């Protein structure tokens, strides 16, 4: 079983590395939850408590940082339970090549999050001169290591490495990104075998909606962007939850008109503050997946982060909105942990933790 | 590598058996044609010649029977060439269990079509009492048989058989339906390895549009139905050709309003003449995948076939439309043959024949 070349493409594409970073955790679909009946404790209370009260005339803030913290607490509790009952600690392996600052930062964040929920984690760090054979041998070793349940190869890899070949060498059972063709196929097919893992950022978007008690079934969803790592999978997940989904992209004729129809907008198109207030139906829910930078002379770095949505103006029209940073971003790493936990459960023959049912 | 349980689900679902029948052929995406540069001879001329001239105030008829015949001629020419150059005859195996009239009819049509283009074909017929072990052993034998390039197990299978297990035992390299999770995943992922085969009915819809010189890029497409065998894959194929695609289903709030936005409508929802004239934007293209029956006292059978579209009335509004029968139906079997040819080419290390580029 092989991993696809998705991550390479993702990072080469128009989405920011910060979005592409995500890449990891197991969920079940809402309409047909993957993996059965085990659910996190008290997610409803946690989800609701996290939301700021809406100020007069402003959208309710969907606080991804707080929701991600609640998810991590649930993961830690499930993981502790697993250790007590089965003597098994979820294990995540991270393979890092070279010394790119952004890659090192993401890897550090992932390892920190894994440590906080009590996972076992191992690093395999290589300098830029590593050979393809060394990387393949490393993946093979991790594939065979029973303490490791998820394998993450941080991208991009140096040019002399066949990235697709390295990714495809990861066993599907340890595909913590959920990006193998087999996992993606299982996600798209209704019924049949569920995927072992779901792409993390899309799963994070769904978790944000669910923990914010936002109804999806029967709603009109417009997804901006059709990437392998966000647009395509999030459209499938929301459709499986009975939304009517339209996927827009660079060739869409009238983007504002499409967005104006939406009860829920998922923006993952990688263009700073593209989505304006007059694109938004009053009261719509806006999930902003973009991570871009914009000039900010007042900031000592000279720039600041922003999403694909003009947050300040859109907040005056939308019913609920995620900020950037602090919205979808923190969910991505939380979902990586959830994928690791679920691959561990799967390795023990236990049912996986599905997306929470709410509707 | 395993085949998924799609076909079982498809046949158990709301789509008619006649639609579900399809299930087979290899294509490439338009925007990124799968498998490279080999193209059928003169498809443009053939496509155009096939279309009836539009009568005053009536939609142009998209003649699936004539287009399918042109596709079969192309397949025969490619197959003859393959035999001459490589000494290899494409081989299709059909496994049929029991004596259902519809299954027997479909199998006969498939075998006849395969014979007409000069394919080698074998039958494996069993009565209702066949055991799972016998079927699995048969698939294994066909997997190992170098004369066979595509394996089709006609559904449904009797209740005592685990249909999913039988389908999953088919090698992906011989998955002539294109329904394995791996092939579906490859279809959905942009870039990376293309699928070895595409679901036949969706591929047939695309071929109808392309051979009718209907532009897809930048257009609004509304797909009615989200089945594994038609709605989901046809939405992906049309999106990969740069359409903006909305998938509607039983939970969609206002179906007529959605359809009214569409430049191209693909109806695959399995309800007789559901789509009315006032749902259609004047000049839109209507592809009717439904195969339903409706009472017809004047007919000696007491019923006649109809699609998901009210053909007589919609023809007065649409710009182009497929009839039922004689529209999408004949394309499905033609695409089965194309899948078989392409799996044969793949087995020889030759590039597959992609979807024709037109835009």
């Amino acid at each position: 079983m092989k991993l696809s070349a998705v991550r390479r493409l993702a990072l080469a594409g128009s989405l920011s590395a910060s979005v592409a970073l995500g890449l990891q955790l197991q969920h079940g679909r809402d309409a047909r939850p993957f993996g059965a009946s085990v659910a996190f404790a008290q997610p409803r209370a946690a989800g609701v408590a996290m939301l700021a009260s809406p100020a007069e005339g402003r959208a309710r803030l969907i606080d991804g940082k707080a929701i991600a913290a609640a998810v991590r607490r649930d993961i830690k509790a499930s993981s502790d339970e697993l250790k007590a009952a089965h003597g098994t600690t979820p294990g995540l392996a991270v393979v890092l090549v070279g010394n790119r600052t952004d890659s090192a930062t993401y890897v550090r964040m992932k390892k920190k999050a894994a440590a906080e929920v009590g996972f076992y984690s191992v690093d395999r760090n290589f300098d830029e001169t590593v050979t393809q054979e060394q990387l393949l041998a490393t993946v093979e070793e991790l594939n065979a290591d029973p303490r490791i349940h998820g394998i993450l190869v941080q991208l991009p890899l140096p040019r002399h490495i066949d990235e697709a070949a390295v990714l495809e060498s990861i066993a599907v059972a340890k595909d913590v990104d959920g990006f193998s063709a087999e996992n993606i196929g299982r996600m798209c097919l209704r019924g049949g075998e569920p995927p072992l893992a779901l792409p993390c950022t899309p799963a994070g978007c769904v978790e944000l909606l669910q923990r914010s008690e936002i109804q999806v079934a029967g709603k009109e969803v417009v997804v901006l962007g059709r990437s392998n790592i966000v647009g395509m999978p999030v459209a499938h997940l929301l459709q499986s939850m009975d939304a009517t989904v339209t996927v827009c992209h660079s060739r869409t004729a009238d983007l504002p008109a499409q967005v104006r129809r939406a009860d829920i907008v998922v923006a993952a198109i990688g263009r700073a503050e593209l989505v304006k207030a007059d694109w938004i139906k009053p009261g719509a829910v806006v999930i902003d997946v973009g991570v871009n930078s914009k000039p900010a002379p007042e900031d000592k770095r000279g720039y600041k982060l922003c999403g694909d949505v003009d947050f300040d103006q859109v907040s005056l029209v939308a019913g609920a909105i995620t900020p950037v940073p602090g919205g979808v971003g923190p969910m991505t790493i939380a979902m990586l942990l959830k994928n690791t936990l679920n691959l561990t459960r799967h390795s023990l023959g236990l049912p996986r933790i599905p997306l929470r049912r709410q509707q």
Side-chain angles (χ1 to χ4, degrees), chain A:
Chain A
M1 301 301 187
K2 306 295 182 175
L3 248 190
S4 74
V6 183
R7 266 181 287 175
R8 181 184 50 169
L9 297 159
L11 284 167
S14 66
L15 281 160
S16 69
S18 213
V19 170
L21 150 209
L23 325 181
Q24 310 63 339
L25 225 278
Q26 164 59 23
H27 261 304
R29 277 174 288 201
D30 195 52
R32 289 173 170 271
F34 300 147
S37 57
V38 182
F40 284 149
Q42 302 177 306
R44 178 176 296 262
V48 169
M50 266 157 235
L51 298 171
S53 313
E56 195 62 45
R58 285 193 78 88
R60 183 173 70 147
L61 196 73
I62 300 176
D63 184 348
K65 229 168 133 179
I67 296 177
V71 171
R72 290 196 305 269
R73 283 195 296 274
D74 289 343
I75 290 168
K76 181 164 192 326
S78 293
S79 173
D80 289 350
E81 209 179 287
L82 199 69
K83 284 183 212 178
H86 299 272
T88 301
T89 302
L92 175 66
V94 180
V95 178
L96 175 62
V97 177
N99 50 10
R100 288 175 59 111
T101 315
D102 55 351
S103 291
T105 303
Y106 301 145
V107 165
R108 195 171 58 243
M109 289 163 70
K110 291 167 185 175
K111 280 162 43 182
K112 180 166 171 281
E116 280 172 6
V117 295
F119 286 3
Y120 168 68
S121 82
V122 300
D123 307 326
R124 292 285 186 273
N125 297 323
F126 298 93
D127 68 27
E128 292 274 346
T129 60
V130 69
T131 66
Q132 171 121 346
E133 290 62 40
Q134 286 175 292
L135 285 179
L136 289 174
T138 298
V139 171
E140 278 317 308
E141 178 211 321
L142 295 167
N143 280 342
D145 186 342
R147 294 165 305 175
I148 296 300
H149 305 96
I151 301 171
L152 165 67
V153 176
Q154 183 68 39
L155 300 185
L157 295 174
R159 283 174 182 276
H160 68 281
I161 304 288
D162 181 346
E163 217 164 65
V166 173
L167 294 177
E168 284 173 12
S169 71
I170 299 172
V172 169
K174 300 191 177 186
D175 167 24
V176 79
D177 281 345
F179 281 147
S180 60
E182 185 156 335
N183 275 324
I184 292 288
R186 290 180 178 191
M187 177 191 72
C188 293
L189 291 165
R190 289 163 66 82
E193 282 297 308
L196 297 177
L198 288 179
C200 297
T201 300
C205 293
V206 169
E207 190 100 24
L208 278 180
L209 291 168
Q210 294 195 311
R211 295 202 179 220
S212 303
E213 307 294 336
I214 291 164
Q215 196 194 328
V216 172
K219 298 297 183 191
E220 284 228 39
V221 171
V222 172
V223 174
L224 302 183
R226 54 177 163 175
S227 68
N228 289 336
I229 57 164
V230 185
M232 181 271 287
V234 84
H236 269 286
L237 292 175
L238 294 172
Q239 186 188 291
S240 75
M241 293 164 70
D242 290 332
T244 300
V245 181
T246 303
V247 179
C248 299
H249 45 76
S250 57
R251 299 294 301 275
T252 295
D254 187 345
L255 219 46
Q258 296 285 352
V259 175
R260 270 180 214 117
R261 292 191 294 109
D263 301 309
I264 299 172
V265 181
V266 180
I269 209 161
R271 289 176 55 190
E273 300 183 341
L274 177 74
V275 178
K276 304 300 182 193
D278 65 356
W279 297 25
I280 302 295
K281 180 159 83 175
V285 174
V286 179
I287 304 294
D288 189 351
V289 183
V291 182
N292 314 288
S293 59
K294 65 173 183 177
E298 74 280 10
D299 193 286
K300 66 181 174 199
R301 294 170 304 181
Y303 71 92
K304 59 183 206 174
L305 292 181
C306 66
D308 290 351
V309 174
D310 181 347
F311 181 86
D312 289 342
Q313 295 301 310
V314 168
S315 298
L316 301 173
V317 183
I321 188 168
T322 62
V324 175
V328 174
M331 295 302 292
T332 296
I333 290 179
M335 296 295 109
L336 168 66
L337 302 177
K338 191 170 175 188
N339 267 355
T340 307
L341 173 63
N342 267 333
L343 291 177
T344 309
R345 294 182 62 90
H346 177 72
S347 76
L348 296 169
L350 299 171
R352 280 158 280 157
I353 296 163
L355 283 187
R356 188 163 73 84
R357 301 294 301 268
Q358 67 165 8
Q359 27 207 7

